[in-house]
Amino acid sequence: MTEQKKIIDLNKIFKILWSKKKVFLIVWIVTFILSCIWIFPQPRYYQAEVSLAPETTGEDVGGLAGIASSFGINVGGAGSDALYPTLYPDLMESNNFIVGLMPIQITTEATDDEPSITTDYYTYLRKYQKKNPLTQPFKDLANSIKNAFSKKSNGKPLTAKELNPFRLSEKDSKIFENVTGNITCSVDKKTEVISITVKDQDPLVCATMADSVCQHLQNFIIQYRTKKARIDVDHYQHLTDSAKLEYESAVNEYSIFCDANQDVVLQSVNSKRDALEQEMQMRYNTYSALATQLEAMKVKLQERTPAFTILKSATVPIKPAGPKRVIFVIMMLILSSIVLSVWLTRKDIF
């Protein structure tokens, strides 16, 4: 008994689709109009990218790290440094890092319709973001209904310097989420090259923030890697300053005693003078040793301070990165054609 095979007749399907060409034309026109209505009011955004290479820390015995990196294996985390490059993307998503970006001063690019605006990044995100005029009324209505049933916050709005990453308001939390989506960081596991990409509606703000995020990340890493060394420098600076005051006090006391007993030849006076001189010498030795140790700590701090090489600096983008309006409309036309074709030939296919 032979099994009957089910075959789809492509010629028949093509004839069915060709006979419905007017339906396709109507669907294409409707899809084109709706796609244009949806995509063209969407605010355009620009994109800027910065690439930098951090100085590696720790010893690489026999070049093992370089050999491992050629096979795509990162051994950076095995050293004493807990903040190695693969953790930088997670670091940049933390609220503590984003809070440091809010006070940055930015200037928007002046256009024929709008003048240039100079303010901090937090105020810019809160007040000067362009919105879709088609969908914004619905969002405002939804927010009004939501606010009517929610607790009203007391007090005036916070400034960029008053933001507390431990406790954010609902609006500030949404702003932070937008920042996290607009700023991305990636690290090449082989070369450890850090690439920072920033998206924004204004090209000048986009380039400014890309450069600022890069600098902020460098400062954050420097503060982390030199924290122990800076504590040691401050500690020895305090000890050195105290030892210097004690030495100066001993010198002053010795000088006053010698001036007051210059012509006295009593043994008790000589013993007192020798004791003061020994005390002064001891204070000097302590001060000299601490000053030497302080200089050594400063050298160690300099050695712990990492250096960064900027491979690609930020530039003001000329063309917008999105949304891709033409591609969106074409994709919608293709998608509508596929859906309509399946719907018209569903009986023959299934």
Side-chain angles (χ1 to χ4, degrees), residues 61-114:
V61 182
L64 294 178
I67 299 174
S69 64
S70 64
F71 292 97
I73 302 174
N74 184 13
V75 296
S80 60
D81 194 358
L83 190 65
Y84 44 94
T86 53
L87 294 180
Y88 294 167
D90 297 327
L91 165 67
M92 293 181 61
E93 293 180 359
S94 65
N95 289 342
N96 290 327
F97 184 87
I98 298 177
V99 163
L101 304 177
M102 295 300 153
I104 295 175
Q105 293 293 312
I106 55 95
T107 301
T108 61
E109 193 172 56
T111 60
D112 297 335
D113 300 331
E114 298 178 358

Side-chain angles (χ1 to χ4, degrees), residues 71 204 283 332:
F71 292 97
L204 185 57
R283 298 295 183 187
M332 288 298 100

Side-chain angles (χ1 to χ4, degrees), residues 42 131-132 134-145:
Q42 295 286 350
K131 301 175 182 178
N132 188 342
L134 184 65
T135 59
Q136 190 58 36
F138 299 99
K139 293 182 180 180
D140 293 339
L141 178 60
N143 291 332
S144 300
I145 297 175

Side-chain angles (χ1 to χ4, degrees), residues 74-299:
N74 184 13
V75 296
S80 60
D81 194 358
L83 190 65
Y84 44 94
T86 53
L87 294 180
Y88 294 167
D90 297 327
L91 165 67
M92 293 181 61
E93 293 180 359
S94 65
N95 289 342
N96 290 327
F97 184 87
I98 298 177
V99 163
L101 304 177
M102 295 300 153
I104 295 175
Q105 293 293 312
I106 55 95
T107 301
T108 61
E109 193 172 56
T111 60
D112 297 335
D113 300 331
E114 298 178 358
S116 177
I117 300 172
T118 300
T119 182
D120 57 81
Y121 190 51
Y122 174 68
T123 305
Y124 167 75
L125 293 175
R126 192 162 50 91
K127 295 183 178 181
Y128 299 103
Q129 287 293 287
K130 297 177 182 178
K131 301 175 182 178
N132 188 342
L134 184 65
T135 59
Q136 190 58 36
F138 299 99
K139 293 182 180 180
D140 293 339
L141 178 60
N143 291 332
S144 300
I145 297 175
K146 185 177 180 180
N147 293 333
F149 294 96
S150 61
K151 296 181 180 180
K152 295 183 179 180
S153 59
N154 298 325
K156 60 181 181 179
L158 298 177
T159 62
K161 295 182 179 180
E162 295 174 343
L163 287 172
N164 182 10
F166 181 74
R167 189 171 187 177
L168 297 173
S169 64
E170 185 177 356
K171 292 183 179 180
D172 293 336
S173 180
K174 291 181 179 179
I175 291 176
F176 276 45
E177 290 178 2
N178 293 334
V179 173
T180 304
N182 292 335
I183 300 176
T184 57
C185 176
S186 60
V187 179
D188 191 320
K189 293 183 179 180
K190 293 183 179 180
T191 61
E192 293 190 352
V193 173
I194 307 169
S195 298
I196 300 173
T197 305
V198 178
K199 294 190 298 182
D200 197 87
Q201 296 178 358
D202 188 90
L204 185 57
V205 174
C206 181
T208 303
M209 288 307 301
D211 184 70
S212 300
V213 170
C214 178
Q215 186 63 41
H216 190 64
L217 178 62
Q218 294 181 50
N219 294 337
F220 196 95
I221 297 171
I222 290 174
Q223 291 294 321
Y224 166 78
R225 290 188 175 176
T226 60
K227 182 177 181 179
K228 178 63 169 59
R230 284 185 289 108
I231 293 175
D232 291 341
V233 169
D234 293 339
H235 175 67
Y236 279 99
Q237 184 70 57
H238 175 71
L239 294 179
T240 303
D241 294 340
S242 299
K244 183 179 180 181
L245 292 176
E246 292 178 358
Y247 168 67
E248 291 176 348
S249 177
V251 170
N252 186 45
E253 184 179 358
Y254 175 77
S255 300
I256 293 175
F257 183 83
C258 290
D259 292 340
N261 301 276
Q262 188 173 5
D263 297 329
V264 179
V265 294
L266 296 176
Q267 183 62 34
S268 60
V269 173
N270 293 336
S271 300
K272 178 66 174 178
R273 183 187 61 193
D274 293 342
L276 291 176
E277 184 177 0
Q278 293 176 359
E279 178 72 15
M280 180 183 65
Q281 185 64 37
M282 184 180 66
R283 298 295 183 187
Y284 173 76
N285 293 337
T286 302
Y287 168 66
S288 178
L290 289 175
T292 303
Q293 191 67 23
L294 175 62
E295 293 301 320
M297 290 297 102
K298 290 181 178 180
V299 172

